[in-house]
Amino acid sequence: MASLPKGLSAILAKAPSDTVILSSLRTPICRSYRGQLKDAYPEELLSVVLRATLDANPNLPPDQINDVAVGVVLSELGGSKAARMAMNHVGFPNTTSLCTVNRACSSSLQGMVTIAGEIRSEMINVGIAAGMESMTRNYGSRAIPMDLWPELKESSVQDARDCIMAMGLTSENVAERYDVGRKEQDEFAVESHRRAAKAQSEGHFEQEIVPVNTRFQEVDKQGNKIGEEQRITVTTDDGIRANATVEGLAKLKAAFKADGASTAGNSSQVSDGAAATLLMRRSTATALGLTSSIIGKFVAATTAGCKPDEMGIGPALAIPKLLSQLEISTQDVDRWELNEAFASQAIYCVRELGLEKDWERGKVNPDGGAIALGHPLGATGARMTSTLIHGLKRSEGQVGVVSMCVGTGMGMAGLFVRE
């Protein structure tokens, strides 16, 4: 297996062994329960991005795709049977295998690592890293296990008990321990919406989004049906609030503790969506005559653990570790996609990483983040990758990083190059 490249010039250099990207697509990301994808199934959304991947790469025979790794957190049976059914349903042959991957919020980035690792070890030549989630259908327990070994709930080890702490309370811990105030959280959230609204109005997401034709049943606030079920085509993210203001968010009550600072307005949205990225060895792309279709490459990724009760600091640990492994600095990165699980932890990570100026200049989440766009757990890593790759093309940047905090206490980060 090839070793990691060291230094910026090595990262940018092209080699036959590179893991390259030929397409990176996603569905719209929509609000759970009220959004336009609330009646869609996660595997339905997965089928859309898998079919779109085939359509976006017409010169790649489907039987050349060896494996698919799908990030998913909440689906029944880990989503493996439904995901395989969806894959077969849209035209993949039985020779293409599939697995699902669960590293909570970084599941589809972990899927990227899975496929890249298989390519680098010559287990496969071509694969797809995908993610799917319907939080509308599967978020009933708030991602807390219902049938858990009682001894763990009463463990003498505090960190063990904290693994099932509500994510909102971990956000409050970060805010309190690292002095992140309510006003700056609200300001950060408003800026996320402003950037996302601007990006949407300027068509920045059009190259990464594939439309979803699905059913939709309008309901009132009590959940009662209004009218007949419709067929709709969803083409845009529906959680962006262009009119969000700091004054408006300041009126919202704390969502997780009475005297807290994290609210529904400065936390990531509960969302539905799917995404998929096609990867292959560069030499395979050359052999198949697909070199002109390469849009980027996956370089490396890493994880770093932290205390479960402040899981939001994870990116501030994973990113330095990744950059150190590759022997580059934050100055070498042209674009950052930092998942906004909560404004508290996103602000902390920006500060801790020394990216305040990059945030102000629009190098960090230039098109908004999960506060505005949403956070469909298993699909988030692949969604962020799609936004990163297409965004680097628009800005003519080369190096980008995707990173997120992960429930139970960790961070993950991946580095990509645009071609």
Side-chain angles (χ1 to χ4, degrees):
M1 186 181 297
S3 59
L4 291 177
K6 305 294 184 180
L8 183 60
S9 60
I11 288 169
L12 296 177
K14 297 179 181 180
S17 59
D18 289 340
T19 301
V20 296
I21 296 170
L22 275 73
S23 65
S24 193
L25 304 169
R26 67 176 180 93
T27 68
I29 306 302
C30 295
R31 298 170 298 154
S32 296
Y33 309 113
R34 296 286 178 184
Q36 292 182 302
L37 294 179
K38 70 179 182 64
D39 295 317
Y41 290 81
E43 56 271 19
E44 177 186 356
L45 300 176
L46 175 67
S47 75
V48 171
V49 291
L50 291 180
R51 182 65 245 179
T53 299
L54 295 181
D55 293 342
N57 298 276
N59 295 319
L60 175 66
D63 63 6
Q64 292 291 316
I65 301 172
N66 308 121
D67 197 18
V68 178
V70 182
V72 58
V73 178
L74 303 172
S75 288
E76 181 184 16
L77 301 178
S80 59
K81 291 183 182 293
R84 171 75 189 207
M85 293 170 74
M87 185 192 79
N88 285 358
H89 179 66
V90 295
F92 285 73
N94 287 329
T95 51
T96 302
S97 55
L98 179 143
C99 69
T100 54
V101 181
N102 185 352
R103 193 190 283 276
C105 307
S106 63
S107 294
S108 48
L109 181 56
Q110 183 63 49
M112 203 87 59
V113 172
T114 298
I115 293 298
E118 291 176 357
I119 290 171
R120 289 172 178 173
S121 67
E122 300 187 357
M123 177 177 168
I124 67 171
N125 296 318
V126 183
I128 295 174
M132 66 177 186
E133 208 74 76
S134 171
M135 298 182 76
T136 298
R137 291 186 177 275
N138 298 314
Y139 198 50
S141 72
R142 293 295 188 267
I144 303 297
M146 303 298 290
D147 186 18
L148 185 64
W149 182 29
E151 189 165 324
L152 291 181
K153 294 181 180 180
E154 301 165 4
S155 174
S156 60
V157 179
Q158 181 70 42
D159 289 337
R161 299 199 305 274
D162 287 345
C163 285
I164 58 171
M165 176 180 285
M167 292 296 95
L169 293 180
T170 73
S171 172
E172 296 291 2
N173 287 342
V174 171
E176 292 171 10
R177 292 172 188 174
Y178 303 105
D179 193 26
V180 184
R182 167 68 184 268
K183 186 173 186 291
E184 59 187 317
Q185 291 181 53
D186 288 345
E187 289 171 342
F188 186 96
V190 168
E191 180 63 10
S192 181
H193 282 286
R194 187 196 68 78
R195 293 181 181 191
K198 183 174 184 290
Q200 189 176 64
S201 69
E202 294 177 356
H204 287 188
F205 302 128
E206 291 177 2
Q207 295 301 308
E208 64 195 68
I209 290 180
V210 294
V212 179
N213 183 268
T214 188
R215 73 204 62 77
F216 179 81
Q217 175 63 63
E218 187 179 357
V219 296
D220 62 22
K221 291 183 178 181
Q222 287 71 45
N224 301 309
K225 293 181 180 180
I226 300 174
E228 299 297 319
E229 182 179 275
Q230 310 167 51
R231 295 295 302 185
I232 62 172
T233 299
V234 185
T235 60
T236 59
D237 306 315
D238 71 8
I240 301 169
R241 296 191 294 276
N243 59 350
T245 64
V246 174
E247 294 75 20
L249 293 192
K251 297 175 182 177
L252 297 178
K253 293 181 179 179
F256 308 106
K257 56 185 294 189
D259 59 346
S262 293
T263 71
N266 61 33
S267 305
S268 60
Q269 298 181 40
V270 178
S271 309
D272 308 323
T277 295
L278 175 67
L279 304 109
M280 67 177 66
R281 191 178 302 106
R282 189 185 297 278
S283 60
T284 301
T286 301
L288 294 173
L290 298 173
T291 302
S292 63
S293 298
I294 295 172
I295 61 173
K297 69 176 178 180
F298 169 82
V299 178
T302 197
T303 58
C306 61
K307 287 173 61 65
D309 75 344
E310 57 176 24
M311 64 92 205
I313 73 169
L317 303 174
I319 289 173
K321 180 180 176 182
L322 177 63
L323 299 186
S324 175
Q325 289 172 337
L326 296 171
E327 297 182 4
I328 62 172
S329 71
T330 56
Q331 286 74 34
D332 295 317
V333 178
D334 299 306
R335 182 177 174 124
W336 304 86
E337 290 292 333
L338 182 64
N339 194 42
E340 300 166 357
F342 300 93
S344 62
Q345 58 81 214
I347 292 168
Y348 168 79
C349 290
V350 167
R351 286 180 186 169
E352 186 68 12
L353 294 165
L355 297 178
E356 297 98 325
K357 293 295 184 183
D358 281 357
W359 164 257
E360 292 170 5
R361 294 170 184 151
K363 290 177 66 176
V364 181
N365 298 358
D367 296 325
I371 290 173
L373 296 171
H375 180 18
L377 305 177
T380 286
R383 193 285 298 171
M384 295 171 72
T385 299
S386 182
T387 301
L388 178 81
I389 292 294
H390 290 280
L392 284 171
K393 180 181 179 180
R394 286 192 305 275
S395 66
E396 299 184 347
Q398 291 183 293
V399 178
V401 168
V402 165
S403 187
M404 65 285 290
C405 57
V406 182
T408 72
M410 66 191 92
M412 189 169 189
L415 189 135
F416 299 81
V417 170
R418 191 269 303 179
E419 295 190 10

